[in-house]
Amino acid sequence: MLRSVKIRDFRSFRELEVQGLARVNLLVGANNAGKTSILEALELLLLGAPWGLWRGPMRREETLSVAGEDERTTSRSEPDLSHLFFGHRFQGASFLLEGSGDLKRFVDCQVVEVGPEGLESGAQERLPSLESPSPGLAISFRSSLFPQQILIGLTPFGGLSFETRRRLLTPLPDTAPPANFLRPGGTDATRLSFLWDRIALTPEENYVVEALKIIEPEIERIAFLGDERRSRRAIFLKLAGSDLRLPLGSVGDGLKYLLALALNLIPARGGFLFVDEIDTGLHYSVMADMWRFVIEAAKRLDVQVFATTHSLDCVHALSWVWSKAPHLQQEVMLHRVERGRDHTVTFTMAELATASKNHIEVR
């Protein structure tokens, strides 16, 4: 597990240190404080691969729309990586991510100027020819998993071409731990189907069903059915006392989100899970049970969880750890992110229980 992380010149952070990381970590703070940016920094740090650079920008739709060269070629969309650097600029920019604890990781990215001959062909794309005499830009990428410099050429527009992205999609070493990211509304059926296939016909199916029972206690089974050739399968539920196959979409978004949460958590065994707005679609009455499932599963599966929330109900629901499961107190930490501050403010479960009891705001 990671115990601390240092972030320098990444997105809105000039300098930030997050200490006291636990098994399950909840990030709180005002809008635009940088909670999601911390998740993205952690994801990139733990993936340690160059293709991790554009995952955040693609999720945020930080893209450039590039017109075709003539009327016969269509426009295309390119990830705009400038937003990963402090100040949203490339010139002279760099960022550094460092993690320490049971494992040590780093990612070092710098924007450099190179000519068309500055990049090797083959696994890396040559910079496109520029009409102007000025040099092109590339990102120098180094990490714990890829210590040798990788130069990633940017297009004249400052984006990443599809060809560059394709060539950089190298598989991670078998020893690299999984790192799943669940964003708000991240319940795409194709993605859920892929995750389901990883646990199908294993004992982990039962844990998924138990998670769904938090909202619908009558659920007995779940199945993904449909045309696999088109990678489109519908999700059905079997309820106690009924012979009907009930479509998941007919029982509400909260249940679908719990399914996504369980299917992202369970296959992350021995790795990491990042959840942006973990309270998405959940009523306050089920949040304590949601936390129970997440914390117990994370400990059982050796997964380190990082989540964000704006919800005070979601924060207060953690008080069950203090009152009902004191043996799990050391597994959870709350981190408050404040704009302009170079470190997060941490709260243990004991401190959080005291704050909740006395109606003290910790967000």
Side-chain angles (χ1 to χ4, degrees):
M1 290 199 306
L2 287 178
R3 295 299 181 183
S4 67
V5 174
K6 292 182 180 179
I7 300 171
R8 190 180 72 195
D9 293 326
F10 182 82
R11 288 201 178 270
S12 61
F13 296 112
R14 174 66 80 182
E15 196 96 25
L16 180 72
E17 186 166 4
V18 185
Q19 295 184 333
L21 294 174
R23 169 74 61 191
V24 176
N25 303 274
L26 181 61
L27 303 173
V28 298
N31 288 332
N32 206 31
K35 301 183 296 295
T36 302
S37 295
I38 295 175
L39 294 187
E40 291 177 347
L42 287 163
E43 179 191 35
L44 177 56
L45 177 67
L46 293 164
L47 283 174
W51 46 262
L53 286 170
W54 63 81
R55 292 181 62 152
M58 294 296 284
R59 282 193 297 261
R60 292 181 186 239
E61 299 183 351
E62 295 171 335
T63 58
L64 298 166
S65 182
V66 181
E69 296 179 0
D70 53 49
E71 65 275 4
R72 293 173 299 177
T73 56
T74 60
S75 61
R76 62 185 186 276
S77 181
E78 298 177 351
D80 182 0
L81 304 191
S82 66
H83 305 292
L84 295 178
F85 297 88
F86 186 81
H88 306 270
R89 58 181 176 80
F90 279 133
Q91 283 70 23
S94 65
F95 67 75
L96 178 64
L97 311 175
E98 297 177 292
S100 61
D102 299 334
L103 73 166
K104 296 184 182 297
R105 292 291 179 87
F106 80 89
V107 168
D108 184 3
C109 286
Q110 302 181 35
V111 178
V112 296
E113 293 185 347
V114 293
E117 71 285 352
L119 295 179
E120 298 178 0
S121 59
Q124 301 170 28
E125 183 186 50
R126 286 186 179 275
L127 284 175
S129 298
L130 303 178
E131 294 182 0
S132 64
S134 59
L137 294 178
I139 295 177
S140 167
F141 180 94
R142 292 178 58 251
S143 73
S144 306
L145 293 182
F146 296 88
Q148 299 299 318
Q149 181 191 55
I150 298 174
L151 282 177
I152 305 167
L154 301 174
T155 68
F157 309 97
L160 275 182
S161 71
F162 174 79
E163 184 64 18
T164 296
R165 283 176 277 156
R166 184 184 66 83
R167 290 177 175 176
L168 288 171
L169 283 175
T170 54
L172 293 174
D174 292 338
T175 55
N180 292 341
F181 195 111
L182 178 60
R183 57 186 176 84
T187 53
D188 175 72
T190 301
R191 169 69 176 168
L192 296 185
S193 178
F194 167 77
L195 293 170
W196 174 259
D197 287 346
R198 296 178 62 183
I199 66 165
L201 301 180
T202 74
E204 300 300 344
E205 279 193 23
N206 297 328
Y207 287 100
V208 174
V209 172
E210 288 303 311
L212 298 186
K213 285 183 177 181
I214 293 173
I215 291 179
E216 178 47 78
E218 298 301 314
I219 291 178
E220 290 184 338
R221 296 178 59 192
I222 181 172
F224 285 69
L225 305 174
D227 189 346
E228 295 187 22
R229 293 173 298 176
R230 298 182 180 180
S231 299
R232 298 182 64 180
R233 289 191 285 174
I235 306 170
F236 292 91
L237 306 174
K238 167 68 171 64
L239 302 185
S242 173
D243 294 330
L244 296 177
R245 295 190 304 193
L246 190 64
L248 180 64
S250 67
V251 292
D253 290 339
L255 201 61
K256 191 173 183 180
Y257 179 76
L258 267 183
L259 175 62
L261 181 60
L263 287 181
N264 277 274
L265 174 59
I266 292 173
R269 180 188 295 270
F272 304 89
L273 174 64
F274 311 97
V275 187
D276 203 5
E277 298 185 22
I278 195 170
D279 56 290
T280 298
L282 299 180
H283 191 261
Y284 75 90
S285 61
V286 302
M287 287 185 185
D289 287 331
M290 179 273 291
W291 279 124
R292 173 186 56 78
F293 167 74
V294 169
I295 297 170
E296 291 180 347
K299 185 176 181 180
R300 178 176 64 87
L301 299 167
D302 189 25
V303 177
Q304 190 169 20
V305 177
F306 302 88
T308 71
T309 188
H310 291 107
S311 168
L312 187 59
D313 289 328
C314 187
V315 174
H316 285 171
L318 278 172
S319 62
W320 81 267
V321 177
W322 175 257
S323 59
K324 301 290 181 59
H327 63 287
L328 296 176
Q329 290 177 23
Q330 301 303 315
E331 305 291 341
V332 185
M333 188 72 75
L334 184 138
H335 307 262
R336 187 172 69 212
V337 187
E338 299 179 2
R339 294 188 66 180
R341 196 162 186 167
D342 63 1
H343 62 277
T344 59
V345 180
T346 60
F347 293 84
T348 65
M349 286 302 93
E351 293 169 335
L352 186 58
T354 300
S356 179
K357 181 179 179 180
N358 293 282
H359 307 287
I360 299 172
E361 178 61 79
V362 297
R363 294 172 302 167

